[in-house]
Amino acid sequence: MANIASARKRARQAEQQRRHNQARRSMMRSKLKQVTSAVAKGDKAAAEVAYAAAVPVLDRMATRGVIHKNKAARHKSRLAQQIKQLG
């Protein structure tokens, strides 16, 4: 454990930020699962609605540094491709 006051403060801040990011990451994964479950059911309309809700969340997480921007782009691309294949 840190002995210096500034190091203790940084440890507190890091833990607070970790919990914050963890909550955001969980919310993002839930949005992705909504899209993938709609695709698995073959419901194109529901998948498109879920995708429209997931895209801004992915972009926001990439902007805020929770995930890398290429990861957000990869998720969006693959989900769009899956929805397109539903026909």
Side-chain angles (χ1 to χ4, degrees):
M1 187 63 196
N3 290 322
I4 297 169
S6 60
R8 284 195 295 267
K9 181 177 178 180
R10 282 306 300 163
R12 286 194 310 269
Q13 289 175 329
E15 178 62 20
Q16 185 177 8
Q17 193 63 40
R18 184 190 69 80
R19 286 192 187 128
H20 184 265
N21 287 340
Q22 190 176 35
R24 297 297 178 270
R25 198 173 297 116
S26 174
M27 182 259 300
M28 178 191 71
R29 287 176 180 158
S30 296
K31 295 287 185 187
L32 294 175
K33 284 179 187 176
Q34 289 171 2
V35 179
T36 54
S37 67
V39 168
K41 291 177 186 173
D43 189 354
K44 186 172 183 176
E48 287 174 342
V49 169
Y51 179 78
V55 168
V57 172
L58 283 167
D59 290 336
R60 204 173 318 121
M61 295 306 106
T63 301
R64 295 182 180 172
V66 176
I67 60 170
H68 195 275
K69 64 176 186 170
N70 290 354
K71 180 173 181 166
R74 184 175 65 241
H75 276 300
K76 290 189 296 186
S77 175
R78 288 180 183 173
L79 289 173
Q81 190 175 25
Q82 290 173 2
I83 292 169
K84 189 176 179 182
Q85 288 175 350
L86 288 176

